[in-house]
Amino acid sequence: DAQLVEANLRRDEAETAISGDRDILALLEEQLVLLQGRAERAQTLVSRNALAAEAAETAQTAVINARQQIVQRRATLASRGSQLRLAEAAMSRLAIEIKQSKGDIAATRITAPRDGQVVFLVPATRGYSREGDVLVRTRALSDYEIEAEIPLDYLRFVARSKSIAATDYAGRGV
């Protein structure tokens, strides 16, 4: 769900940026029309020797710069359009994954080989589990497994024994 929220935010950000870029593009196009008119008037005045040629060149340079800004803004718009489509595709993909995950969760059946006391539970922070992954370990009340560290020198005595007597930490027989 957090990834879906993030994808929604990316889409909203792209839409806002596209809207702003379109407004700026409209202003740049209006500015270009004004600059073209100014450049044409400057060229007319230069042809009548009423204005220096450098002034007409300056006006034409301004027109070229405005065109360059328009081209850059259109490229930015195209890029943002791609970002928007990617965000929408991510949202669709995440919606499908969430639907599949919910179906998988609903169809999941957890089984244990026997009843007993829970001695291990997978941390909730872990991601996904696959079939066969251990989620819970139980200990049957009638079945104990004991680990002991026995020095090698004494192992031969343990191997010869038919039964082993043991005590717990409190000294009670086990």
Side-chain angles (χ1 to χ4, degrees):
D1 287 339
Q3 290 177 345
L4 187 58
V5 169
E6 183 181 340
N8 273 321
L9 290 173
R10 281 194 200 126
R11 184 200 61 202
D12 293 346
E13 179 184 17
E15 286 175 345
T16 302
I18 287 171
S19 175
D21 284 343
R22 284 184 179 147
D23 292 343
I24 292 171
L25 184 59
L27 292 172
L28 287 172
E29 288 172 345
E30 287 179 28
Q31 183 182 26
L32 177 62
V33 170
L34 292 173
L35 289 173
Q36 284 174 331
R38 185 179 289 169
E40 288 173 9
R41 283 192 300 281
Q43 190 60 39
T44 302
L45 291 173
V46 167
S47 66
R48 294 183 186 161
N49 288 328
L51 190 63
E54 290 84 23
E57 289 172 1
T58 301
Q60 192 59 38
T61 300
V63 168
I64 291 169
N65 287 338
R67 284 184 182 150
Q68 183 181 18
Q69 288 178 359
I70 288 172
V71 168
Q72 288 174 339
R73 190 59 59 179
R74 285 184 179 149
T76 300
L77 265 172
S79 173
R80 293 198 198 274
S82 295
Q83 290 174 356
L84 180 62
R85 288 188 296 279
L86 283 172
E88 289 170 348
M91 288 172 54
S92 296
R93 179 184 50 82
L94 288 169
I96 290 169
E97 286 179 10
I98 288 170
K99 183 179 177 183
Q100 286 176 340
S101 294
K102 286 181 179 179
D104 290 346
I105 289 169
T108 298
R109 200 177 113 223
I110 298 175
T111 59
R114 61 186 174 262
D115 292 335
Q117 179 183 10
V118 174
V119 294
F120 169 77
L121 186 63
V122 173
T125 57
R126 192 170 125 191
Y128 296 98
S129 296
R130 293 182 178 81
E131 185 176 341
D133 285 354
V134 174
L135 302 177
V136 176
R137 284 197 179 105
T138 59
R139 178 180 302 146
L141 299 177
S142 62
D143 183 21
Y144 288 95
E145 179 178 314
I146 299 173
E147 291 183 17
E149 293 183 17
I150 301 172
L152 222 58
D153 292 339
Y154 298 117
L155 195 57
R156 61 191 158 105
F157 299 118
V158 174
R160 289 185 203 153
S161 302
K162 291 186 181 183
S163 66
I164 297 176
T167 59
D168 62 11
Y169 289 112
R172 292 180 298 233
V174 179

Coordinates of all heavy atoms in Angstrom, one line a residue, residues 28 104 121 166:
L28 N 5.6 31.7 -23.2 CA 6.7 31.8 -24.1 C 6.3 31.9 -25.6 O 6.9 32.7 -26.3 CB 7.6 30.5 -24.0 CG 8.4 30.4 -22.7 CD1 9.1 29.0 -22.7 CD2 9.5 31.5 -22.7
D104 N -3.5 -14.4 -2.4 CA -2.6 -15.4 -1.8 C -2.8 -15.5 -0.3 O -2.8 -16.6 0.2 CB -1.2 -15.0 -2.1 CG -0.8 -15.1 -3.6 OD1 -1.6 -15.8 -4.3 OD2 0.3 -14.6 -4.0
L121 N 8.6 -17.6 16.1 CA 7.7 -17.0 15.2 C 8.4 -16.0 14.3 O 9.3 -15.3 14.8 CB 6.6 -16.2 16.1 CG 5.5 -15.6 15.3 CD1 4.6 -16.6 14.6 CD2 4.6 -14.8 16.3
A166 N 19.4 -37.2 33.7 CA 19.8 -35.8 33.6 C 19.0 -35.0 34.6 O 17.9 -35.4 35.1 CB 19.6 -35.3 32.2

